[in-house]
Amino acid sequence: MDTVTRPRILVVGAGFAGVGCVRRLERKLSPLEADVTLVTPFAYQLYLPLLPQVASGVLTPQSIALSLRRSRKYRTRIIPGGAIGVDLKSKVCVVRTITDKIVNERYDYIVLAPGSVTRTFDIPGLTEHAFGMKTLAEAAYIRDHVISQLDLADASDDPAERAARLQFVVVGGGYAGTETAACLQRLTHAAVKRYPRLDPKLIRWHLIDIAPKLMPELGDKLGRSAQEILARRGIDVSLGVSIDKAGPEEVTFTDGRVVPTHTLIWTAGVVASPLIATLGAETVRGRLAVDAEMTLPGHDGVFALGDSAAVPDLAKGQEGAICPPTAQHAMRQGKVVADNVIAALRDQPLSPYEHKDLGLVVDLGGKDAVSKPLGIELRGLPAQAVARGYHWSALRTNVAKARVATNWLLNAVAGDDFVRTGFQARKPARLKDFEYTDSYLTQEQVRAQVEDKPALESP
């Protein structure tokens, strides 16, 4: 009896793009039409835009971690691990499982949505002493760390140590950095009232960025409004400035200032996942060069999207314009890629991706926000309503929506929570400890892995 092998669709990454693709494939493909496999180290989708609110304790970590195993109706096989290399010629993806076992996974169609990692530079001491804000663990860890600085300052009789522990530096004037500084400043401002021995004037937050403007995508007026809000709260915003070197107890700025601090949070942009470098394919500013249908030219059955792909932005109508690495684009690209994979399976024409940006929202905590939905500039409570309304509606499950809404309501009624959860009990963890960027293979190692071991078939 002949055994009919169904086409194998392999999706790499469980971010907005990957999960959006998988869920649409499950809805539109019959079970006998193809096998769908998802490679991800964590069986949840993280709603990244709300990470600053986790760091400040407004939201609980599980409220923005949307489980991929919660519903029984989904049939995708999940491989718990990370893709560390892809051999496009052999159609094999090399996966390191969470048990540290390396396996080869064959595919007929692959959707590359590995996302991005924190962009770092060759700055002395940066990866050893800075915290990142790209993962759920980092956000939870930073919250514990910031509260612990208040405790340690309160316990210290050394004025210099106390002042150093009450200074905080955030690098990156984009959305992540601005919202992180704003939300955490509100936390410390509220918490210090519970520490009678601490002078609130000693708490200083620094937000620095090498760019000449804060969040230039918002435009001059809203950018200035955001900067004025931060300044009113006592946050020192320095533009045209970056980090020269970082140490365990001080940070040196490029303008020569030396700030004594035990807290350096690095949010200065992202770069495509190191997985892209294993392909040996053309890139645009580090992102995989794909066409408007999000296929990789010259390679059959390869699709890429999200932060790791340079998807042409047809809506702008400009030569060479590519979609920015935002959740808004990633979610919509996931659906179009799923449709294109199905079209390829059925020998139908593929559709190009085109989406006009709906606008930008920046939640600065409390009643402060700036938003630009559909080009309309908003500030204060109207902007806050739009920002939170957008994030709430973008959450994929009703359970997540209920948790987030409940957390917001509880925070508004009961105020902030200053309880540490114990992450500080073990060894300190910094930027280099969370993203495992040294785990990926070279092209030569990928080839050797594929040639030495037969690819494992999906069950």
Side-chain angles (χ1 to χ4, degrees):
M1 181 181 295
D2 294 333
T3 300
V4 178
T5 302
R6 291 188 292 270
R8 293 160 294 197
I9 303 172
L10 184 65
V11 180
V12 176
F16 291 106
V19 172
C21 175
V22 165
R23 293 306 185 227
R24 195 169 184 90
L25 288 173
E26 290 173 326
R27 287 194 298 270
K28 300 188 74 171
L29 278 177
S30 69
L32 298 178
E33 204 167 356
D35 292 326
V36 182
T37 301
L38 175 65
V39 178
T40 174
F42 306 107
Y44 61 78
Q45 176 193 355
L46 178 63
Y47 192 83
L48 274 168
L50 291 178
L51 267 187
Q53 295 192 35
V54 171
S56 63
V58 174
L59 299 176
T60 58
Q62 63 267 33
S63 64
I64 65 167
L66 288 63
S67 174
L68 300 178
R69 299 188 187 273
R70 187 176 181 86
S71 176
R72 295 181 180 179
K73 69 180 181 179
Y74 298 126
R75 64 179 188 274
T76 295
R77 173 196 171 207
I78 297 177
I79 299 179
I84 57 174
V86 179
D87 188 323
L88 299 176
K89 183 178 180 181
S90 301
K91 289 197 170 185
V92 173
C93 180
V94 182
V95 179
R96 176 178 278 118
T97 68
I98 57 174
T99 60
D100 218 26
K101 181 181 179 182
I102 296 180
V103 299
N104 298 338
E105 190 71 25
R106 286 198 180 278
Y107 64 83
D108 296 295
Y109 299 90
I110 188 169
V111 177
L112 296 169
S116 56
V117 296
T118 301
R119 178 180 62 182
T120 58
F121 300 97
D122 189 20
I123 298 173
L126 176 62
T127 58
E128 292 81 11
H129 302 295
F131 298 100
M133 264 292 288
K134 195 75 171 63
T135 67
L136 194 61
E138 285 174 314
Y141 192 93
I142 286 174
R143 169 177 159 77
D144 259 22
H145 171 81
V146 168
I147 296 175
S148 74
Q149 297 311 298
L150 298 178
D151 289 339
L152 291 168
D154 186 57
S156 176
D157 293 322
D158 181 351
E161 180 188 358
R162 179 176 289 187
R165 292 197 180 278
L166 296 180
Q167 290 210 75
F168 307 88
V169 178
V170 179
V171 183
Y175 302 109
T178 302
E179 290 186 340
T180 296
C183 290
L184 285 173
Q185 185 274 338
R186 286 192 79 251
L187 174 67
T188 56
H189 179 73
V192 76
K193 298 175 184 177
R194 309 296 197 274
Y195 295 83
R197 295 181 69 240
L198 296 182
D199 182 357
K201 295 179 181 178
L202 289 177
I203 296 181
R204 295 192 61 188
W205 280 87
H206 302 265
L207 176 62
I208 70 172
D209 193 277
I210 196 66
K213 295 180 181 179
L214 194 69
M215 296 181 292
E217 298 89 344
L218 283 173
D220 290 341
K221 291 183 179 179
L222 283 185
R224 282 197 302 270
S225 295
Q227 192 167 339
E228 289 169 2
I229 291 171
L230 299 180
R232 188 169 66 245
R233 289 196 194 168
I235 299 176
D236 180 16
V237 179
S238 299
L239 301 175
V241 178
S242 188
I243 295 295
D244 186 54
K245 61 181 178 179
E249 297 181 0
E250 66 178 27
V251 173
T252 303
F253 293 176
T254 52
D255 62 4
R257 282 181 291 165
V258 178
V259 176
T261 181
H262 294 257
T263 308
L264 171 61
I265 302 174
W266 180 268
T267 64
V270 297
V271 293
S273 165
L275 178 66
I276 299 304
T278 73
L279 305 179
E282 181 184 353
T283 59
V284 177
R285 287 177 287 191
R287 300 165 69 184
L288 196 62
V290 296
D291 56 25
E293 289 75 25
M294 290 173 284
T295 65
L296 184 61
H299 297 277
D300 179 52
V302 180
F303 298 81
L305 67 162
D307 290 5
S308 287
V311 180
D313 193 345
L314 301 182
K316 285 189 176 179
Q318 300 174 3
E319 185 72 23
I322 60 176
C323 296
T326 63
Q328 185 179 148
H329 280 290
M331 287 189 289
R332 289 163 176 80
Q333 288 170 4
K335 296 178 180 179
V336 175
V337 159
D339 290 341
N340 283 343
V341 170
I342 295 171
L345 270 170
R346 299 171 180 172
D347 293 322
Q348 297 172 350
L350 277 57
S351 302
Y353 171 75
E354 184 171 0
H355 168 68
K356 186 176 181 179
D357 203 308
L358 297 178
L360 308 165
V361 294
V362 182
D363 188 339
L364 299 175
K367 300 178 182 179
D368 294 325
V370 289
S371 300
K372 196 175 182 180
L374 302 174
I376 302 172
E377 296 186 351
L378 300 174
R379 299 167 181 80
L381 283 176
Q384 181 69 280
V386 169
R388 294 201 169 182
Y390 172 79
H391 289 314
W392 185 84
S393 64
L395 291 166
R396 187 173 48 82
T397 68
N398 290 329
V399 171
K401 290 179 179 180
R403 283 177 174 163
V404 167
T406 302
N407 285 174
W408 280 338
L409 178 61
L410 184 61
N411 181 260
V413 173
D416 294 296
D417 179 19
F418 315 121
V419 176
R420 285 193 286 139
T421 52
F423 287 103
Q424 294 290 318
R426 299 291 178 178
K427 80 166 194 171
R430 297 296 190 269
L431 191 61
K432 64 183 178 64
D433 298 313
F434 283 100
E435 297 191 51
Y436 310 106
T437 54
D438 58 349
S439 299
Y440 296 86
L441 304 180
T442 64
Q443 294 176 39
E444 293 75 18
Q445 289 172 325
V446 171
R447 171 53 57 185
Q449 168 69 19
V450 172
E451 291 178 348
D452 289 347
K453 295 182 181 180
L456 299 183
E457 301 290 342
S458 300

